[in-house]
Amino acid sequence: MTTTEPIVEALLSVSRAMVALAARNLATLGADVTLPQYRTLVLLAGGGPQRSAVLARELGVAPSTLTRMCDRLVRKSLVHRFHRHNDRRSIWLGLTPAGRDLVGVVMEARRRELEAIVRAAGLSGDAHDLGVLHAFVRASGELPDREWWTNWEVSADPVEGAQAMRGALA
């Protein structure tokens, strides 16, 4: 057994619990999105508008898979596609206000459920434990909660130089 194995096993268990929590929150709220679609919305909420190729890489999917997923999100009015006035070749994706609001509602529901779980388990975080968790979050490429919420607030704001795409799924 390596020295990292116990923590990796514990984090795998936590990961399963977190995915179950996210799926449960989406179902309870009647959100008409799959977990991969929701992950796309979360990335756009935390990172702001992104080029489709960059978002596909971040999600670990083929560009064609991202296109199909975003077609569905556009039809649901959760995401919009656009070009930048100085780069008509790249397709950009951003949240609509409805997309931002959906992510916010689901995140708040997750927060409430996590608070209940933490209380029920009798957990409290000392500075060391919190430091470990924050280091894990940063190493995974995610943002700490306060930074994420700061980005979420402006994630559906108009983008300077954006030009709506023409077509049925724009």
Side-chain angles (χ1 to χ4, degrees):
M1 178 180 284
T2 66
T3 58
T4 60
E5 194 168 330
I7 190 117
V8 168
E9 288 177 358
L11 287 170
L12 281 170
S13 298
V14 169
S15 174
R16 285 190 304 273
M18 297 303 285
V19 169
L21 178 67
R24 189 168 51 246
N25 290 139
L26 287 170
T28 299
L29 294 169
D32 184 25
V33 294
T34 64
L35 280 173
Q37 289 171 346
Y38 181 70
R39 179 68 182 142
T40 301
L41 298 175
V42 168
L43 288 173
L44 291 171
Q50 297 181 36
R51 286 187 312 117
S52 60
V54 171
L55 188 57
R57 270 195 308 276
E58 195 164 351
L59 289 166
V61 299
S64 60
T65 300
L66 179 73
T67 297
R68 286 189 303 276
M69 183 179 350
C70 287
D71 286 347
R72 292 177 189 100
L73 293 171
V74 167
R75 282 192 296 268
K76 295 174 186 183
S77 299
L78 300 173
V79 167
H80 65 99
R81 288 186 177 102
F82 61 94
H83 292 291
R84 298 253 184 187
H85 72 278
N86 58 352
D87 181 8
R88 302 274 307 148
R89 292 179 293 158
S90 295
I91 297 171
W92 285 74
L93 300 161
L95 288 180
T96 64
R100 180 200 54 215
D101 293 347
L102 173 64
V103 172
V105 167
V106 173
M107 285 294 188
E108 285 297 332
R110 289 177 74 185
R111 173 182 284 284
R112 287 189 302 275
E113 194 165 348
L114 282 170
E115 286 173 349
I117 292 168
V118 167
R119 276 194 305 278
L123 300 175
S124 62
D126 63 23
H128 176 265
D129 293 342
L130 293 174
V132 168
L133 291 172
H134 286 296
F136 178 83
V137 167
R138 288 269 187 208
S140 72
E142 292 292 328
L143 296 173
D145 203 47
R146 286 188 182 155
E147 285 181 51
W148 188 90
W149 279 106
T150 298
N151 290 355
W152 171 86
E153 287 180 5
V154 298
S155 63
D157 286 359
V159 176
E160 186 176 324
Q163 297 175 341
M165 292 179 59
R166 306 222 185 276
L169 294 177

